[in-house]
Amino acid sequence: ARIFDAGVTERGRPYFVMEFVDGQPLSDHIGQLEWTELNVLIHDLLDALAHAHARGVIHRDLKPANLLVNAEDQVKLTDFGIATVRSRAPTTEDGQVRGKLGYMSPEQVLGKELSGKSDVFTLSTVLAEMLIGEPLFQGESELNVLLQIRDADLRVLARCERRIPQDIRALVLRGLQRDPAERPTAGAFADACAEVIRRRGMGHGPDRVVRLLSQLD
């Protein structure tokens, strides 16, 4: 999503002005989209992430509520409110890790230095959740959820009864590797999605996703 202006108020408070996105968040349609639409959508979101990562910006707060499809057939990646430049520390001054519980990477949970591959893990978590229709990491307590993320525990995905094609499942598993070194970059992940789209003859572009969302609305 575009930022039109940024600065500091007369009282010394920083601000930025963003575009209003007239669209629907993916959080409204968990478990309702087909893998064909999701693959196209995730490809375009990965392109957006690759653009940010190339400029040293890590999002750190990817979740379905921040991923919007607007009425102009565009996929919008929003809310860079806790984004960090790669050279900066991944935690706040008091040492607390930032991010939405359930949508963090193992290294984010552990408070380690982050790279763009942390965003890849989190976007893969979102993709898995959209496919299976329930949270990928879940438990009776916050600690239990954090431990599942730390260990990249994918038992919920493994027991899912919904049919997920093998090539789509393989894409998800690539992005959910516990070790960042084993994950693709956002650009490489986008290329892998594009190859699945090409091989399956799927329409490329978010317009088909917009049409489906309008039917579900």
Side-chain angles (χ1 to χ4, degrees):
R2 291 173 293 175
I3 295 179
F4 296 123
D5 190 21
V8 179
T9 67
E10 293 180 356
R11 296 184 179 183
R13 300 186 63 179
Y15 72 90
F16 59 89
V17 181
M18 295 180 63
E19 67 173 307
F20 171 74
V21 179
D22 182 13
Q24 301 180 50
L26 291 188
S27 54
D28 288 353
H29 301 290
I30 292 176
Q32 295 180 313
L33 296 176
E34 297 296 329
W35 58 265
T36 50
E37 284 78 22
L38 284 170
N39 194 43
V40 171
L41 184 148
I42 292 297
H43 170 272
D44 291 337
L45 290 171
L46 285 164
D47 268 350
L49 278 181
H51 180 82
H53 294 165
R55 286 150 183 79
V57 177
I58 303 167
H59 192 286
R60 299 201 305 164
D61 193 28
L62 292 168
K63 55 190 175 187
N66 290 343
L67 308 175
L68 308 177
V69 181
N70 70 11
E72 284 73 43
D73 299 349
Q74 296 173 317
V75 183
K76 291 285 186 175
L77 175 58
T78 68
D79 198 357
F80 280 81
I82 67 167
T84 183
V85 176
R86 189 177 300 138
S87 60
R88 296 178 183 171
T91 58
T92 59
E93 291 183 1
D94 60 6
Q96 294 185 355
V97 176
R98 291 290 185 89
K100 174 70 174 178
L101 185 67
Y103 299 102
M104 291 191 283
S105 65
E107 58 269 29
Q108 196 170 6
V109 168
L110 294 171
K112 295 183 177 181
E113 183 177 357
L114 301 184
S115 69
K117 291 186 177 182
S118 176
D119 285 342
V120 169
F121 185 95
T122 306
L123 188 58
S124 299
T125 300
V126 172
L127 174 57
E129 178 174 330
M130 297 298 295
L131 286 168
I132 65 180
E134 60 179 313
L136 180 62
F137 302 111
Q138 52 187 275
E140 298 178 354
S141 68
E142 292 185 357
L143 177 59
N144 184 256
V145 173
L146 292 172
L147 290 176
Q148 288 182 37
I149 296 173
R150 182 199 65 181
D151 299 334
D153 185 343
L154 305 180
R155 283 178 291 179
V156 172
L157 178 61
R159 71 167 185 256
C160 173
E161 295 182 355
R162 296 186 68 183
R163 182 182 176 278
I164 303 174
Q166 286 301 315
D167 51 358
I168 302 297
R169 184 181 291 271
L171 282 177
V172 176
L173 293 177
R174 282 187 65 191
L176 290 172
Q177 293 298 307
R178 185 175 185 273
D179 184 354
E182 299 297 322
R183 295 176 218 145
T185 63
F189 203 175
D191 289 343
C193 286
E195 174 58 25
V196 172
I197 292 170
R198 184 199 62 76
R199 188 170 61 248
R200 288 182 171 270
M202 297 156 53
H204 195 312
D207 55 312
R208 62 185 299 168
V209 182
V210 174
R211 289 197 298 270
L212 180 58
L213 290 179
S214 64
Q215 295 170 8
L216 295 173
D217 196 13

